[in-house]
Amino acid sequence: MSKFVVITFGSEAKAYEGTSALKGLDAQGDITLYGLAVITKDAGGKLSVKEEQPDALAGTAVGSLVGMLVGALAGPAGVLAGLATGMVLGSIGDLLNLGVGADFLDKVSRELAPGKAAVIAEVDEDWVTPLNARMEALGGSVVREWRSDFEEAALARETAARKAEYKQLQAEMAQSSAEARSKLQTRSSEVKAKLDELSNKARTKLQKLEKDTNAKTSALNAQIAKANAENKARIKQRLVEMRADHDRRAALLKQAGELVKEALAA
């Protein structure tokens, strides 16, 4: 499973040394780098986004995380910065949906003081030591966060709950008076609309997951093609684990879609 990594440096120049170091670790096979960006905070606390890989960054999880962090850490000013770079913006709730915990946001907020810069990346790694040692040698402070399947699991749970409510309402309407049935029908329509919304959300997330997985597969296969025998085996294992993570997330999203079909067919 991939991780989000935020490495804070004392200056923007050092942050760019950090991006070069990350690319070097990727080239050596010590990590697989899926995307990165640099953000800076000036002496007045204003955040700026630097797109280190503008073509690769757009639409990726890193692009979403950058925009959300800017919005969450900088408030209204962050929203304007995010809009200026065309990145996805969101609230703290959006960060949770992306698979990022509130404690991660708190750590990043404390580390990214005025005058500092940070490299934000999504990586796969077998051990934390290579990345830690390289970043610490440059004066960087590393914060990691596993990407969780929080939203997929929550979506499946909510869909199951809505299905149960819809089924109960349908059964109750069949045994109710005309007056009571009218009120129950109103609520039933609301629940049906929510089920449709959840179905669309699951479908959209599944499409995004497939796109994300295809991009990661390409990155890993490119590494495998260039790696020596020792590194090749490790990178192939990352590919296996990434596919397993995809299958688990996809199953939850497909489960949500099937629950909606079952509910509306009843």
Side-chain angles (χ1 to χ4, degrees):
M1 186 188 301
S2 64
K3 304 172 186 175
F4 286 128
V5 181
V6 177
I7 311 128
T8 307
F9 295 91
S11 68
E12 185 176 345
K14 277 293 182 182
Y16 280 107
E17 287 186 44
T19 66
S20 296
L22 284 173
K23 292 175 185 177
L25 290 168
D26 177 80
Q28 295 164 15
D30 290 317
I31 67 170
T32 301
L33 179 63
Y34 296 124
L36 60 81
V38 174
I39 62 174
T40 61
K41 181 181 280 189
D42 66 18
K46 180 182 177 181
L47 286 167
S48 298
V49 180
K50 313 290 182 177
E51 293 187 40
E52 174 64 14
Q53 295 177 301
D55 294 334
L57 185 63
T60 66
V62 168
S64 296
L65 178 62
V66 168
M68 291 173 189
L69 283 174
V70 167
L73 296 177
V79 172
L80 295 176
L83 288 173
T85 60
M87 292 184 176
V88 178
L89 295 170
S91 63
I92 293 176
D94 294 319
L95 287 167
L96 295 175
N97 290 339
L98 192 61
V100 173
D103 58 336
F104 176 73
L105 176 61
D106 182 59
K107 288 177 185 177
V108 173
S109 178
R110 284 187 278 108
E111 291 285 344
L112 189 57
K116 291 192 174 184
V119 179
I120 300 173
E122 184 181 5
V123 305
D124 258 335
E125 58 185 353
D126 306 301
W127 302 288
V128 300
T129 300
L131 191 152
N132 282 357
R134 192 71 187 88
M135 296 302 111
E136 288 168 7
L138 295 172
S141 176
V142 181
V143 176
R144 283 178 176 79
E145 176 79 343
W146 287 99
R147 291 194 65 189
S148 72
D149 54 8
F150 172 86
E151 187 177 19
E152 290 89 347
L155 187 63
R157 287 195 301 270
E158 183 178 0
T159 305
R162 296 291 184 180
K163 175 190 174 184
E165 182 182 6
Y166 188 74
K167 182 179 179 180
Q168 179 184 354
L169 287 166
Q170 295 298 306
E172 194 169 346
M173 279 194 295
Q175 302 178 39
S176 300
S177 64
E179 182 180 355
R181 192 179 302 120
S182 176
K183 294 178 180 178
L184 290 169
Q185 181 60 57
T186 298
R187 178 56 185 165
S188 179
S189 297
E190 292 172 352
V191 175
K192 181 181 181 298
K194 185 62 180 179
L195 282 166
D196 287 334
E197 178 186 327
L198 291 168
S199 179
N200 290 334
K201 189 174 183 180
R203 183 166 51 252
T204 299
K205 280 195 66 66
L206 185 58
Q207 291 170 348
K208 174 68 171 65
L209 176 63
E210 295 301 330
K211 182 179 179 180
D212 190 51
T213 299
N214 289 338
K216 289 181 177 179
T217 299
S218 296
L220 287 160
N221 282 332
Q223 270 193 314
I224 291 168
K226 300 174 183 177
N228 58 34
E230 179 183 355
N231 285 343
K232 188 170 291 188
R234 292 193 290 113
I235 299 167
K236 283 183 176 179
Q237 183 57 34
R238 289 178 207 159
L239 181 58
V240 169
E241 292 171 358
M242 186 274 293
R243 293 298 312 182
D245 182 56
H246 161 273
D247 292 347
R248 183 177 64 253
R249 291 171 182 265
L252 288 168
L253 294 170
K254 289 176 182 177
Q255 177 188 347
E258 288 302 317
L259 287 171
V260 173
K261 289 180 183 178
E262 292 169 6
L264 299 182

